Amino acid sequence: MLHFIYTDMCPDLAQQHSSDMIREEVAALAQHLLAAADGYGLDRLKLICEDKLCSGIDAGTVATTLALADQLNCSRLKKRCIDFIVSSLENLDAVASYGKLPTDSE
């Protein structure tokens, strides 16, 4: 986050990664940075993190990303997660074990 504040760049999120493990680490980093950016009012960093998370949604990250998007009021990211979940029955089954997902009434 300090690197972004001083340089207005976030190279750790900008790189394209091929390995599944590295992609998961980048997704986790983006989730943590998104929460920090929201807390410190860094709107540009928040958008960068949202973009990265939107482009990397998969069955393994969609539930936690959806919960985070709901918590931080990231409507675009939340919509992307919901669209991903309802796009196929397999995706719905993959997140069913996550537990209680956020609803609009909460």
Side-chain angles (χ1 to χ4, degrees):
M1 186 166 70
L2 283 176
H3 179 79
F4 175 82
I5 291 170
Y6 286 111
T7 65
D8 198 40
M9 294 185 302
C10 197
D12 292 339
L13 296 181
Q15 297 174 8
Q16 295 296 326
H17 302 286
S18 58
S19 147
D20 285 340
M21 180 177 257
I22 292 174
R23 267 185 271 158
E24 289 175 14
E25 290 172 7
V26 170
L29 174 63
Q31 289 174 346
H32 291 289
L33 279 175
L34 179 62
D38 183 70
Y40 287 103
L42 300 171
D43 294 332
R44 184 162 141 53
L45 179 59
K46 190 173 175 179
L47 286 173
I48 291 169
C49 293
E50 276 189 86
D51 286 343
K52 189 63 172 182
L53 290 169
C54 281
S55 68
I57 294 173
D58 62 28
T61 62
V62 69
T64 55
T65 302
L66 176 58
L68 183 64
D70 185 61
Q71 179 184 7
L72 301 177
N73 298 314
C74 300
S75 57
R76 184 173 56 97
L77 181 58
K78 184 177 177 179
K79 182 182 179 335
R80 262 328 237 299
C81 290
I82 292 169
D83 290 347
F84 178 84
I85 292 168
V86 299
S87 67
S88 82
L89 204 51
E90 291 83 24
N91 294 339
L92 187 58
D93 289 340
V95 296
S97 64
Y98 180 74
K100 186 177 179 210
L101 292 174
T103 63
D104 288 336
S105 62
E106 292 181 347

